[in-house]
Amino acid sequence: MTIISDPWFYAVAIPAVLLTGLSKSGFATGIGTLSVPLMALVISVPHAAAVMMPLLLLTDLIGLRMFRRDFDKKLLRFFLPFGLLGVVIGTLLFKLLSAHMVAGCLGVFTLLFLAQRLFFPPNENTKPPPRWAGAILVTLSGFTSFIAHAGAPPMNAYALPLKLKPMVFAATLAYFYFFINLSKWIPYAYLGLLDL
């Protein structure tokens, strides 16, 4: 049975797509990170990530149109090189790691950032992390975005304490993820993850 004719694929893919849409709309920010793990119940993490690529491109383009005036250029210039470094690291490690190892990495990172949010939630007194920590977290965001489109937890660990205006926060991250997701098409094709 091919994945196209497998009803279990659709049973998890449809909710995964809806979660991504809700997350990108801003209604349930961060919940989209569950999309790839949900799809990984029936297909491998790399293939689940590849299936989501066209949807991400479409939602990113809509986000760019909505937020074209509100993003922070200086912050974006800081984010992009480190995010792209994370994509490069993800590309290099993808060939070395098995699908089970990639799934394990995703699970560990998800649990770490969940623990961080539970035990150290941001509040009005939270000071922004130093830029070196930001560089590490943004690189990790690029990496986790590459392996499973789950870049939000590490990025939020750095960006939320910056206390940006909500529109500036949303716009800057919309532009960041657009460029990160756009940069993933070539490595995904190189790794043989994209097919009809």
Side-chain angles (χ1 to χ4, degrees):
M1 179 182 293
T2 65
I3 198 69
I4 294 284
S5 61
D6 184 356
W8 289 111
F9 171 73
Y10 294 101
V12 296
I14 291 170
V17 167
L18 291 172
L19 288 174
T20 298
L22 284 171
S23 179
K24 290 287 188 173
S25 73
F27 179 69
T29 304
I31 202 166
T33 58
L34 298 174
S35 298
V36 171
L38 184 62
M39 289 178 67
L41 294 172
V42 293
I43 59 176
S44 70
V45 170
H47 287 101
V51 166
M52 297 301 290
M53 287 293 288
L55 176 66
L56 291 174
L57 178 63
L58 181 63
T59 57
D60 287 341
L61 289 172
I62 293 168
L64 290 186
R65 189 168 186 273
M66 289 174 48
F67 296 121
R68 63 185 174 274
R69 292 184 203 96
D70 299 305
F71 67 97
D72 184 321
K73 291 178 186 173
K74 184 178 175 187
L75 200 53
L76 191 60
R77 280 195 298 269
F78 172 65
F79 288 166
L80 279 176
F82 294 108
L84 293 172
L85 175 62
V87 169
V88 169
I89 292 168
T91 303
L92 297 174
L93 289 179
F94 228 67
K95 285 282 190 184
L96 301 175
L97 300 176
S98 68
H100 292 296
M101 186 67 90
V102 171
C105 286
L106 175 61
V108 167
F109 287 131
T110 301
L111 290 174
L112 283 174
F113 288 107
L114 177 62
Q116 181 259 336
R117 289 296 299 242
L118 287 173
F119 296 114
F120 306 102
N123 58 47
E124 61 276 354
N125 298 324
T126 304
K127 293 182 180 175
R131 280 179 76 87
W132 64 265
I136 292 169
L137 288 168
V138 174
T139 302
L140 193 55
S141 176
F143 174 74
T144 56
S145 179
F146 183 82
I147 64 170
H149 307 308
M155 176 56 85
N156 288 344
Y158 180 69
L160 285 175
L162 297 177
K163 298 179 183 76
L164 301 169
K165 291 179 183 174
M167 285 298 284
V168 173
F169 176 84
T172 304
L173 293 191
Y175 271 80
F176 172 74
Y177 289 120
F178 167 75
F179 288 114
I180 293 302
N181 289 335
L182 194 61
S183 75
K184 293 187 286 193
W185 282 87
I186 293 172
Y188 271 48
Y190 167 73
L191 294 166
L193 297 175
L194 301 177
D195 60 32
L196 192 56

